[in-house]
Amino acid sequence: MFKYLLFGLLFPLKGSGLESDQWQPIRIQADSAVIIEKQGLSIYKGDVSIVQGSLKINAETVEIKSQDRTIIEVLAQSEGESKKLAKFKQALSNEGEEIFAEAKTISYRVQEGKLTLSGQAKLEQRNDVFSGEMLFYDITRGSVNLESGSPKGRINMTISPKENL
C-alpha cells in the first residue's frame, strides 16, 4: 500500500508562476527536434534546455503537446538508465521566490498549473523540501501530494519554521 500525504491543507505553499512568463518567447535548445504540426507534437532530444521568462526546464528528452499554438503539456524525461534527472525551475513572485523540481519524469500541465514528478521526485520551495517516488504539485493551489512508491518506501519532508519579521 502506498503512503499518501496531502500536504497543502496543513502547510499551504504559495503557488502560481509569474503571469508575465506566458507572454515571453519560448527558447529551446537541443541536439535534435521532430515537429509534427498536425498532431501538435514536438519532440526534442539531447541535453534539452527550454526557457520562457523565469521558467526553465532541462532534460535529455522533452515532448511538447499543443493545440492551436497553445501549449497543453510539457513532458521532460531522463533517458534509460541515466542518472541525470529532468529539472524544472520557475519564479512564483516578483520578490524572487521560486520552486525547483527534479525527477526522472516531469509532466507539466500548463493550463492546469500542475506538475507530476515520478522517479526520485524532489520539490524545493523556500527552505522546504519534499521528496518521494511520486510527487504531485498544484502550482495554483500550492498543494503537494507525495507517494512513497512501495509498501516499505518512505516520503521525506523538511519544513522550515516561519521566519521572524
Side-chain angles (χ1 to χ4, degrees):
M1 179 171 142
F2 291 122
K3 297 183 182 200
Y4 298 94
L5 175 64
L6 182 57
F7 197 73
L9 297 175
L10 300 175
F11 299 95
L13 302 172
K14 186 175 181 182
S16 178
L18 289 177
E19 187 175 325
S20 62
D21 283 351
Q22 66 183 321
W23 306 113
Q24 301 296 317
I26 300 171
R27 302 189 194 297
I28 303 171
Q29 292 183 332
D31 292 339
S32 66
V34 175
I35 300 168
I36 308 167
E37 197 168 325
K38 287 186 178 186
Q39 294 179 9
L41 178 65
S42 53
I43 302 167
Y44 305 91
K45 293 189 177 193
D47 196 21
V48 183
S49 172
I50 298 175
V51 177
Q52 183 183 28
S54 74
L55 173 67
K56 293 175 178 53
I57 298 174
N58 297 93
E60 293 173 355
T61 300
V62 176
E63 291 182 19
I64 299 178
K65 298 173 186 170
S66 61
Q67 184 174 21
D68 299 324
R69 298 185 59 86
T70 300
I71 295 176
I72 306 299
E73 180 180 19
V74 177
L75 185 64
Q77 300 177 322
S78 58
E79 289 283 322
E81 296 299 315
S82 173
K83 301 220 185 273
K84 190 174 181 181
L85 299 176
K87 299 182 184 320
F88 176 100
K89 183 177 179 181
Q90 186 174 31
L92 296 178
S93 69
N94 289 322
E95 290 78 42
E97 184 178 2
E98 57 188 16
I99 60 167
F100 173 76
E102 65 181 5
K104 288 185 177 183
T105 301
I106 298 174
S107 169
Y108 178 33
R109 306 269 314 156
V110 178
Q111 304 303 312
E112 299 168 19
K114 294 184 180 180
L115 284 175
T116 301
L117 313 174
S118 61
Q120 300 175 18
K122 180 178 177 183
L123 176 81
E124 297 178 25
Q125 183 178 1
R126 289 178 292 236
N127 293 323
D128 300 338
V129 180
F130 308 90
S131 64
E133 193 57 26
M134 291 286 296
L135 187 147
F136 306 93
Y137 181 54
D138 186 325
I139 297 170
T140 307
R141 291 181 44 215
S143 64
V144 177
N145 182 343
L146 293 162
E147 295 180 15
S148 65
S150 71
K152 294 186 180 184
R154 308 280 290 170
I155 58 159
N156 297 291
M157 294 177 291
T158 302
I159 309 300
S160 299
K162 184 176 179 181
E163 295 178 16
N164 292 331
L165 299 176

